[in-house]
Amino acid sequence: MSLRERFKEGDLDAFEVLFRQFQGRIYGWIVRIIRDPGMAEDLTLETFWRIYRARGRFDPSADFGGWAYRIATNLALSHLRRRREQELPPDVPEKATRALDPALEGEKRDEIRRAFSRLPVKLQLAATLALIEERPYEEIADALGIPLGTVKSRVSRAVRVLRKQLHWMRVQT
Amino acid sequence: MRPKNQDYEEIQRALKDAFPSVDTELHRDLWPPMLRRLEEQPVREVPWYDWALAAALAGIAILFPKIALLFAYHL
């Protein structure tokens, strides 16, 4: 019996192997979207909790990673929606791995963040992954479970809306 | 293939400056908290006889719709 078949049957050892194999990748994916390391850990656990609960519906011949990415993406999207309802600005982690451009003043960055947070959540998600994280469109389409063309059109709409908003706010990019 | 144009590149540059990269490495093993959660909230599966009971009740409600009035009277 294969690992995925054992997982489907509820074998906890098989689940642990899959968990350890994918926890880092799922965490990395979620943290790219929501940009909050603590919450990303919680959502990673929630993703695997849902995976374990839904194991009976899992097709062992299917791609486990693709399934996990889709569940994680949906959870991250719900989190972005909740965060928007609570009107919290996107978190900017203290420990950045890339230095900020010193030429870009704090005020301008705030304007850009505000414009970005006003985008519809689906456009925000596509723009985060494509423009900020520079993930391939194919990977984004797989994780969102949408056609490649839809990803492209969401990114291009996000660019158009941001361009218009920033122009209106007189922010020079 | 990405549609590269001036707007795209300018907006991308502005966003990357406004949102610094996040550390995407997971720095601790999440299996212990996962295991705790599995132990604290065991996944409950609906037993077959509950499904059978639900199906029987649905069948009765379809065959004898007036029985709903009897239930409503007793509620």
Side-chain angles (χ1 to χ4, degrees):
Chain A
M1 201 188 270
S2 75
L3 180 69
R4 285 181 281 186
E5 282 169 338
R6 280 169 45 218
F7 155 69
K8 186 181 166 71
E9 294 300 314
D11 181 336
L12 200 58
D13 292 335
F15 179 54
E16 182 180 354
V17 174
L18 289 168
F19 184 94
R20 290 188 187 282
Q21 221 171 358
F22 285 93
Q23 63 172 338
R25 276 179 268 177
I26 294 297
Y27 169 83
W29 183 254
I30 294 174
V31 83
R32 279 190 170 101
I33 298 172
I34 67 166
R35 316 183 76 75
D36 175 346
M39 183 53 71
E41 283 191 2
D42 289 351
L43 291 184
T44 303
L45 287 172
E46 183 63 28
T47 300
F48 281 99
W49 169 246
R50 290 187 185 200
I51 285 171
Y52 190 70
R53 269 195 328 192
R55 65 188 186 280
R57 295 197 300 273
F58 177 64
D59 173 6
S61 64
D63 171 26
F64 180 86
W67 186 46
Y69 272 88
R70 269 191 291 281
I71 293 175
T73 307
N74 285 333
L75 280 169
L77 199 56
S78 303
H79 174 76
L80 290 180
R81 288 200 178 101
R82 276 197 307 276
R83 189 161 70 182
R84 161 169 293 211
E85 282 163 16
Q86 292 162 0
E87 293 184 338
L88 291 176
D91 299 304
V92 176
E94 285 170 24
K95 190 184 162 196
T97 52
R98 184 164 50 82
L100 288 173
D101 178 358
L104 198 65
E105 308 87 355
E107 202 180 313
K108 199 160 120 186
R109 280 200 297 268
D110 288 346
E111 291 294 346
I112 292 165
R113 282 189 206 132
R114 261 197 292 278
F116 190 74
S117 70
R118 277 196 290 267
L119 282 179
V121 169
K122 283 181 179 175
L123 299 192
Q124 233 183 66
L125 178 63
T128 301
L129 293 170
L131 299 172
I132 303 174
E133 297 299 331
E134 298 187 87
R135 306 310 302 168
Y137 282 164
E138 292 79 7
E139 189 184 2
I140 302 170
D142 278 351
L144 268 63
I146 57 175
L148 192 66
T150 309
V151 178
K152 287 180 183 172
S153 84
R154 283 185 189 176
V155 174
S156 125
R157 269 172 62 206
V159 169
R160 268 203 317 275
V161 174
L162 283 171
R163 161 59 69 207
K164 203 185 275 182
Q165 285 192 10
L166 294 177
H167 178 74
W168 183 73
M169 290 188 295
R170 293 166 199 275
V171 174
Q172 289 295 310
T173 55
Chain B
M1 185 79 182
R2 283 166 184 270
K4 288 281 182 190
N5 57 39
Q6 204 184 343
D7 265 3
Y8 185 100
E9 282 168 5
E10 282 179 1
I11 292 292
Q12 182 174 37
R13 200 171 50 243
L15 287 176
K16 283 171 86 73
D17 283 328
F19 295 96
S21 299
V22 285
D23 180 4
T24 57
E25 283 296 308
L26 179 61
H27 294 289
R28 70 183 184 110
D29 180 16
L30 295 179
W31 179 248
M34 184 78 245
L35 198 55
R36 264 200 307 280
R37 187 163 177 186
L38 287 169
E39 283 164 0
E40 282 165 11
Q41 305 172 19
V43 180
R44 278 191 223 120
E45 286 178 19
V46 181
W48 68 268
Y49 43 84
D50 279 352
W51 287 115
L53 184 62
L57 287 173
I60 290 169
I62 291 165
L63 290 173
F64 310 103
K66 285 185 180 168
I67 210 162
L69 295 173
L70 188 68
F71 276 114
Y73 176 75
H74 283 286
L75 285 176

